[in-house]
Amino acid sequence: MAKKARQRISYVLENAKSSAGGHRLGVNGLAVDATNGILYTGGRDGIVCAWDLGLDLRQSTAITDNSANPKPPQTKFRAQALPHTHWINDITLAQNNTALVSASSDLTVKVWRPHSEEDSSRAIAIGEHADYVKCVATPPTYMNANWVASGGLDRKICLWDLNGAGKTLEVDVKGEEILEKGSVYALAVSRDIVASGGPEKTIRLYDPRTGNKISKLVGHLDNIRSILIDDSGDIILSASADKTIKMWSVKGGRCMYTFTMHDESIWSLYSDDPSLGVFYSSDRAGLVAKTDVRGSMSDLDNGLSLAVAQEHCGVSKVVAAGGHIWTATNRSSVNRWGDVDTSCDINLPERFRHQRAASAASATSAASDRSRQVSPSNDQTAQKKEIQPESILRISNTAVFPSRSTFDPESNALNETLARRGSEVIAEHPDPEVKPIYQAPEDTIEGQFGLLKHKMLNDRTRVLTLDTAGDVLLWDLLECKPVQSFGKQHLEDVEAVVNTREAVAPWCSVDLSSGNLTVVLEPFNCFDAEIYADELKLDEPIEFREDQRISLGRWILRYLFANLIDEEIKRDETYRQKLNEEVAKRQTASRANAPTSIALPQTNLTNWEKTDQVSTPRANGSHLQLGTPGLGIGLATPGLGAASLPGVPEEAVSSPLSPPVKDISGDKDDYFAGGNTVIPATPTAEPSAEAKTSMENGNEKSKDKDKDKASDTTKSPGSTFGKKFRMSFSSKKLGRSLSQATQEKPVVVDEKAEESETSSTNEKEVDDSFFGVIQKIRNDYDKQFAETPDKFIETRVTPSLPNETPVLKPPPGTKVIIQEETSGGSANVYQGTVENVGNDADIIEQKAPMWLGDLLLQNLIPSKEPVKISFVLHPAGDLQALSPADGNNRLNANRMLRVKKILAYVTERIEEVPEEPGPNDLAPEEYLELYCNDQLLDPLMSLATIRTHVWKSGNDVVLYYKANGRKEIKPPKPAASMIPAETPGVPGPVVAATSSEPATTTSA
């Protein structure tokens, strides 16, 4: 069975200020349906929107004075869909404008049918690339084709069936010299040609039926960004980052003309003219130009190019229809500009009309033909606004019209210049400043505010963001919503106010690429971060074990998929019900021939419970009800909310209703082993093997000594401190299991579970997916049914309880995404919401990773070594120094170890601790203080926080303990934990030095 690629879980936090309609980030794609008056937009936020324009786009409108024209209607939002989780790079209309196809950086090509009566809000994936999909193109409408072409950074051109039949053709576009140069940035399709362009600076032509190469067109000097093909398939226009637009002849295989009206990289071309006689272009500087070469194809120098509009930033896409132009930029809004009628009756300045007439004498007949095609009335001509000279662009370097010089109508310089070709002009004058015809747009489709910048705070549960409006928001990653707004401020200023002095392990990453706050959980670190339960602010109080810690990753995943857990519990009950019905039939059959009287056996408490007393934990937070374990302990069944069995040593209890807890976290050599078990425990007077913690010394011992010492400390605590705090200071290796209680070794062991682990060759093969966990559970049911057919089957679905993962209520609309790594990034394999994950159980079972199933259904997390921090303890004042058995005061412990636990360890070694502490006794942190770099440390501060914010170095942390005078400290009597001073040949306790230099212990 092939192992799946690594998968990750993401969830998207919605902004409370957002509403339907409008993009949050820049717009990359535009498409206009002139028949129905609809504009489609595709944004970097992964959203596609449809807008009702309220315009008749089937008739062209000439430029007129604004005073004579009523104000055009405003655009209204129509519909939207969220097909992608990354930038949408291009969109196009297909199938007579009934389908919108989008290409995205999430590697997919999707089709949205906004007019569909079945599901007009959902986009369907029709194709997938191995890298970002940069462009998409459809063949001409008259072909009635049922396919669409896409190109991407994976150097592939793919043809996809629009009805979901998959890939119909793939073309491998490899760079001739450098393979990576074969990336496809521009794509156009005609009946017989697919044309592509990219960083290789070459236009490549392919046959869309076979994928065979036809030819290539060479001439550009930089990346090709846009391509158009005329309906005949013979003329191609290409725009490049080299600031030029080239017109090519496919049959001739040559460049016919080079347009140089732009001074910056050209990003977009658009034309609705079948012969490409009129086209629009936009560049990185925001200039939008309209060029008309109709009637001058024999001498393109006589064409006309006008600066129509000027955006404040680069225009990534331009489209036009019905006398209007729309521009898309890196802003979330879309502007609509007026168009210009470039027929021969255009109202040019008089001197430019003379220039154009003189230079176009050879094209008089062609121009007259064009004037007959478009012949506005005298009233229209009178209303036409005069084009300013600064709005006329020089179409190419060889064009005479307009001249670079400023002409005097009476000067002979005009005739001299017109007598020359542009290439023969002797003196070059700088071009005058370009002034576009329109200074402001007719209408703006307003966008929403997207997130641009973020800062993860030290607690790693809160994030500050800055949006496009300049507002700063504070988000809670566990509540999945914004919790506070700070208005228009600098992000750094707010951070200084709200940040805390903490050090929490990284457990997630934040992505703002879609304009929303997306939290990404990776399996290799999402369970690393823990917080102490007593630091939580919960609506409903929950009794936690002392110093209990909660894994942030497990906590949020538990409730993102709460509805899925509910659905799986129902399916599990249904599956077991069928088996238990067979068990009941066999029990009935076995009692059919039973004697009239039988001798009752002695009471067996292990089997007293009834199956109907068992309730599987639910996602709404109710508890698992446990019967009293049959170990001769007369205890009542704990009520709802009980987290432990009071007064019972943890190692002596193993519920038959729960599978044995596995040691998976490997918290070895740890003074504070905060593991996790399914049945949490409360502190008891007697130390238990499960609740013990260890602190190892810095120097390594021999293996024999480790074993001897471990066996001794396991039997009984080495000191009264061990009795009081249930710890042993040995090098016994302890592991971290599932709940926050530590478990060294259960007394009651499920032999079948061990057998299934050791005899893996006899197990049935399961899928490497979420469903594989379900298969393993059902295989265990089947095995139990086969071996003990008369015993009812209890559930093995054991999600975490609220005392491990307190109830969270993420908003129902929170998006949940499962992604899988690919060679070019990551691809979505599932996308849903918190509300719908239960309904999508079938899909999630097949697509989700196995580790997620282990977590949700059995509360298991992947094994990982804990992070340790080494530190050194020195006395301050008149306190005595520590004297560990190995003569070294260098210690290490889990990074989450708190100051108060270190002080408890110190107390054990510098004073006499009573076996039974009195009710009024002071806690160690009340009469001892711990310092680092002359800073008093808070008792709740962890080692990780000390090292990050106080010590600020990678070396061993140096700590000093000091009495505050609230209690007289009496030295302890000689014990196993102390080395008597009179012991021959062994260094005894070291008295604090009288100088300012603290005393330390020395090795023997």
Side-chain angles (χ1 to χ4, degrees):
M1 178 180 62
K3 192 172 181 63
K4 277 191 174 182
R6 191 174 74 187
Q7 292 176 305
R8 62 189 187 188
I9 312 297
S10 303
Y11 60 100
V12 183
L13 280 60
E14 287 292 338
N15 193 339
K17 296 189 298 182
S18 65
S19 59
H23 295 280
R24 296 184 181 91
L25 293 179
V27 179
N28 286 341
L30 295 175
V32 62
D33 177 2
T35 304
N36 298 305
I38 301 174
L39 177 72
Y40 295 94
T41 58
R44 299 179 182 181
D45 53 5
I47 295 175
V48 288
C49 295
W51 307 89
D52 275 324
L53 298 174
L55 299 170
D56 185 1
L57 302 180
R58 290 169 292 186
Q59 295 182 358
S60 178
T61 304
I63 177 173
T64 59
D65 287 323
N66 294 335
S67 59
N69 213 24
K71 186 177 180 180
Q74 289 191 340
T75 303
K76 295 181 180 179
F77 172 72
R78 180 185 179 94
Q80 76 173 28
L82 179 59
H84 300 285
T85 57
H86 211 302
W87 284 21
I88 293 177
N89 296 313
D90 196 12
I91 61 175
T92 187
L93 285 166
Q95 293 181 326
N96 294 319
N97 298 335
T98 61
L100 183 75
V101 184
S102 55
S104 170
S105 292
D106 67 5
L107 317 187
T108 62
V109 179
K110 293 190 176 182
V111 59
W112 176 42
R113 302 184 187 277
H115 305 287
S116 172
E117 296 181 358
E118 297 178 358
D119 189 359
S120 61
S121 62
R122 192 165 186 174
I124 306 300
I126 59 172
E128 181 176 326
H129 283 254
D131 208 332
Y132 291 179
V133 192
K134 296 295 291 183
C135 48
V136 64
T138 50
T141 307
Y142 65 82
M143 289 180 58
N144 294 320
N146 199 35
W147 54 269
V148 66
S150 63
L153 301 188
D154 58 355
R155 305 182 293 279
K156 297 288 194 301
I157 298 173
C158 299
L159 271 57
W160 310 98
D161 184 87
L162 285 169
N163 294 324
K167 187 188 302 182
T168 60
L169 183 68
E170 178 179 302
V171 178
D172 192 356
V173 185
K174 294 181 179 178
E176 293 182 352
E177 297 180 358
I178 304 175
L179 291 179
E180 290 74 14
K181 294 287 187 179
S183 298
V184 181
Y185 279 75
L187 194 65
V189 179
S190 70
R191 176 181 292 276
D192 302 317
I193 294 175
V194 174
S196 70
E200 202 179 13
K201 314 168 194 175
T202 300
I203 300 173
R204 297 187 176 275
L205 307 180
Y206 301 91
D207 188 332
R209 293 159 294 192
T210 63
N212 295 333
K213 292 182 181 179
I214 297 176
S215 64
K216 64 180 180 179
L217 305 172
V218 181
H220 279 294
L221 303 177
D222 208 334
N223 189 11
I224 297 172
R225 301 292 299 266
S226 187
I227 297 176
L228 299 176
I229 305 178
D230 74 342
D231 284 359
S232 68
D234 184 45
I235 301 296
I236 290 179
L237 282 176
S238 60
S240 169
D242 63 9
K243 308 176 186 178
T244 68
I245 299 171
K246 291 184 179 292
M247 180 177 285
W248 308 84
S249 169
V250 175
K251 294 179 180 178
R254 63 181 181 86
C255 176
M256 299 168 57
Y257 195 76
T258 299
F259 300 89
T260 60
M261 71 285 285
H262 289 274
D263 293 328
E264 293 290 343
S265 171
I266 304 169
W267 286 358
S268 177
L269 289 175
Y270 177 81
S271 177
D272 55 3
D273 186 345
S275 62
L276 303 183
V278 178
F279 62 89
Y280 302 81
S281 55
S282 64
D283 63 25
R284 185 173 60 182
L287 176 66
V288 178
K290 180 176 182 179
T291 304
D292 187 348
V293 294
R294 292 175 298 178
S296 57
M297 296 298 272
S298 58
D299 190 352
L300 294 174
D301 282 346
N302 295 326
L304 177 64
S305 185
L306 300 176
V308 180
Q310 176 71 55
E311 286 277 10
H312 295 287
C313 51
V315 177
S316 56
K317 194 73 173 179
V318 59
V319 295
H324 303 277
I325 302 173
W326 290 266
T327 54
T329 66
N330 60 10
R331 299 181 179 180
S332 59
S333 58
V334 176
N335 285 329
R336 184 183 76 205
W337 306 81
D339 201 348
V340 181
D341 184 356
T342 54
S343 66
C344 71
D345 294 311
I346 185 172
N347 193 3
L348 296 173
E350 183 178 355
R351 64 176 181 271
F352 286 102
R353 287 202 301 269
H354 288 309
Q355 288 183 46
R356 198 179 186 200
S359 62
S362 61
T364 304
S365 59
S368 62
D369 291 340
R370 185 179 62 180
S371 66
R372 285 193 294 269
Q373 295 173 5
V374 183
S375 181
S377 65
N378 293 333
D379 293 338
Q380 288 180 329
T381 305
Q383 291 181 0
K384 284 187 179 180
K385 182 179 178 181
E386 181 178 336
I387 304 298
Q388 297 299 316
E390 296 83 359
S391 301
I392 304 176
L393 302 173
R394 194 175 186 193
I395 198 168
S396 76
N397 294 330
T398 60
V400 178
F401 172 77
S403 172
R404 292 176 181 264
S405 305
T406 302
F407 295 102
D408 181 356
E410 299 180 358
S411 172
N412 291 330
L414 171 62
N415 298 327
E416 293 176 2
T417 304
L418 293 177
R420 298 176 180 269
R421 297 296 300 166
S423 59
E424 299 172 351
V425 175
I426 299 174
E428 289 290 342
H429 298 274
D431 289 331
E433 181 182 355
V434 175
K435 292 183 179 179
I437 296 172
Y438 293 102
Q439 303 298 322
E442 293 178 342
D443 183 33
T444 299
I445 302 175
E446 295 292 347
Q448 299 187 28
F449 300 128
L451 304 181
L452 294 176
K453 187 178 180 182
H454 80 279
K455 175 65 179 179
M456 178 82 74
L457 299 183
N458 290 337
D459 57 15
R460 295 196 179 274
T461 61
R462 298 178 302 155
V463 173
L464 281 174
T465 61
L466 178 70
D467 64 19
T468 51
D471 291 334
V472 176
L473 282 176
L474 179 65
W475 301 76
D476 191 305
L477 302 186
L478 299 175
E479 294 183 14
C480 302
K481 63 182 180 181
V483 293
Q484 189 175 356
S485 174
F486 294 92
K488 291 177 170 57
Q489 297 189 46
H490 290 291
L491 191 68
E492 294 74 14
D493 295 341
V494 179
E495 178 192 354
V497 174
V498 301
N499 214 350
T500 55
R501 202 182 189 191
E502 297 178 68
V504 178
W507 65 282
C508 67
S509 59
V510 173
D511 180 27
L512 304 182
S513 61
S514 65
N516 289 316
L517 185 62
T518 302
V519 184
V520 183
L521 304 178
E522 299 276 8
F524 62 82
N525 73 341
C526 69
F527 304 112
D528 288 358
E530 295 176 314
I531 58 174
Y532 281 94
D534 56 19
E535 297 175 355
L536 300 178
K537 297 178 181 179
L538 303 174
D539 295 335
E540 300 179 2
I542 297 177
E543 291 187 8
F544 294 107
R545 185 176 44 79
E546 182 185 3
D547 291 326
Q548 179 175 331
R549 293 175 290 178
I550 295 176
S551 167
L552 295 179
R554 174 168 50 190
W555 192 9
I556 186 63
L557 286 171
R558 168 68 174 81
Y559 293 102
L560 287 175
F561 292 95
N563 289 343
L564 174 65
I565 295 174
D566 280 343
E567 177 64 25
E568 294 298 345
I569 288 173
K570 293 177 183 177
R571 296 184 179 193
D572 179 76
E573 290 174 348
T574 301
Y575 189 87
R576 288 186 296 107
Q577 183 180 1
K578 295 178 181 179
L579 296 178
N580 286 333
E581 286 175 357
E582 293 296 325
V583 173
K585 291 179 181 178
R586 295 190 182 191
Q587 289 182 349
T588 303
S590 64
R591 289 194 294 266
N593 299 322
T596 56
S597 64
I598 59 173
L600 295 176
Q602 294 182 355
T603 302
N604 183 2
L605 293 179
T606 59
N607 296 317
W608 72 273
E609 68 272 18
K610 297 179 181 179
T611 57
D612 58 1
Q613 290 177 314
V614 180
S615 63
T616 308
R618 301 291 179 169
N620 61 10
S622 61
H623 288 239
L624 173 67
Q625 298 180 358
L626 302 178
T628 303
L631 295 174
I633 303 172
L635 296 178
T637 303
L640 285 179
S644 64
L645 303 178
V648 182
E650 298 174 38
E651 71 273 23
V653 179
S654 179
S655 170
L657 307 182
S658 302
V661 181
K662 297 181 181 179
D663 247 349
I664 59 173
S665 59
D667 197 355
K668 300 177 181 178
D669 304 327
D670 192 358
Y671 163 70
F672 182 81
N676 301 308
T677 58
V678 172
I679 307 177
T682 54
T684 61
E686 285 294 320
S688 64
E690 294 175 17
K692 291 182 180 179
T693 57
S694 67
M695 175 181 286
E696 69 166 10
N697 294 302
N699 294 345
E700 289 293 330
K701 294 288 192 176
S702 65
K703 294 183 179 179
D704 294 336
K705 289 184 179 180
D706 279 345
K707 292 179 180 179
D708 295 340
K709 190 175 179 183
S711 61
D712 292 339
T713 55
T714 304
K715 294 176 183 177
S716 62
S719 63
T720 55
F721 176 79
K723 293 180 180 180
K724 182 177 179 181
F725 295 97
R726 314 192 321 277
M727 300 174 185
S728 63
F729 304 100
S730 69
S731 56
K732 174 70 179 175
K733 309 254 180 205
L734 297 181
R736 185 166 58 119
S737 57
L738 283 177
S739 79
Q740 296 302 331
T742 59
Q743 176 170 343
E744 185 175 344
K745 182 179 179 182
V747 172
V748 181
V749 180
D750 191 337
E751 296 178 357
K752 295 176 185 176
E754 285 190 351
E755 184 179 300
S756 64
E757 291 179 6
T758 57
S759 306
S760 58
T761 55
N762 298 327
E763 290 184 351
K764 296 180 180 178
E765 186 174 299
V766 297
D767 296 341
D768 183 22
S769 64
F770 190 102
F771 188 64
V773 179
I774 300 173
Q775 288 177 313
K776 287 191 293 185
I777 293 174
R778 292 178 178 177
N779 289 344
D780 290 340
Y781 292 159
D782 295 340
K783 185 176 180 180
Q784 177 184 333
F785 179 75
E787 295 177 354
T788 56
D790 296 331
K791 182 180 179 181
F792 283 105
I793 297 171
E794 305 296 346
T795 182
R796 292 179 182 266
V797 177
T798 54
S800 61
L801 300 177
N803 57 358
E804 287 185 278
T805 51
V807 176
L808 294 173
K809 297 178 180 178
T814 302
K815 296 180 181 64
V816 179
I817 303 165
I818 301 176
Q819 295 176 313
E820 185 174 279
E821 281 191 351
T822 66
S823 59
S826 60
N828 293 355
V829 296
Y830 170 76
Q831 181 175 333
T833 62
V834 168
E835 186 177 25
N836 294 328
V837 290
N839 299 331
D840 298 336
D842 291 334
I843 302 174
I844 295 176
E845 285 178 0
Q846 301 300 324
K847 301 295 185 180
M850 180 176 282
W851 62 265
L852 182 64
D854 285 330
L855 171 68
L856 300 182
L857 302 184
Q858 297 196 303
N859 199 21
L860 299 173
I861 59 176
S863 174
K864 190 174 184 180
E865 284 290 330
V867 177
K868 302 293 187 65
I869 293 179
S870 298
F871 60 99
V872 182
L873 287 170
H874 293 301
D878 57 355
L879 296 181
Q880 70 180 45
L882 303 181
S883 297
D886 63 353
N888 193 342
N889 62 347
R890 181 177 183 270
L891 309 165
N892 73 355
N894 189 299
R895 67 192 307 274
M896 293 296 293
L897 180 67
R898 280 174 160 175
V899 166
K900 68 177 186 178
K901 301 294 283 186
I902 300 176
L903 292 176
Y905 172 75
V906 172
T907 301
E908 163 72 17
R909 279 153 174 73
I910 66 171
E911 72 165 331
E912 185 69 28
V913 179
E915 294 189 11
E916 296 295 333
N920 297 324
D921 287 355
L922 295 177
E925 62 268 20
E926 294 179 309
Y927 61 90
L928 286 180
E929 296 174 344
L930 199 64
Y931 289 82
C932 179
N933 279 345
D934 297 327
Q935 296 185 40
L936 176 62
L937 305 178
D938 187 278
L940 299 182
M941 189 176 288
S942 67
L943 271 177
T945 303
I946 296 171
R947 185 170 189 169
T948 302
H949 297 288
V950 182
W951 183 243
K952 299 178 181 180
S953 173
N955 301 324
D956 292 352
V957 179
V958 179
L959 303 174
Y960 294 88
Y961 53 91
K962 177 183 177 182
N964 60 15
R966 296 186 62 187
K967 178 182 176 182
E968 181 183 356
I969 299 177
K970 299 178 181 180
K973 297 177 181 179
S977 61
M978 300 291 293
I979 304 176
E982 62 272 12
T983 303
V986 179
V990 180
V991 181
T994 57
S995 64
S996 59
E997 180 69 20
T1000 59
T1001 61
T1002 58
S1003 300

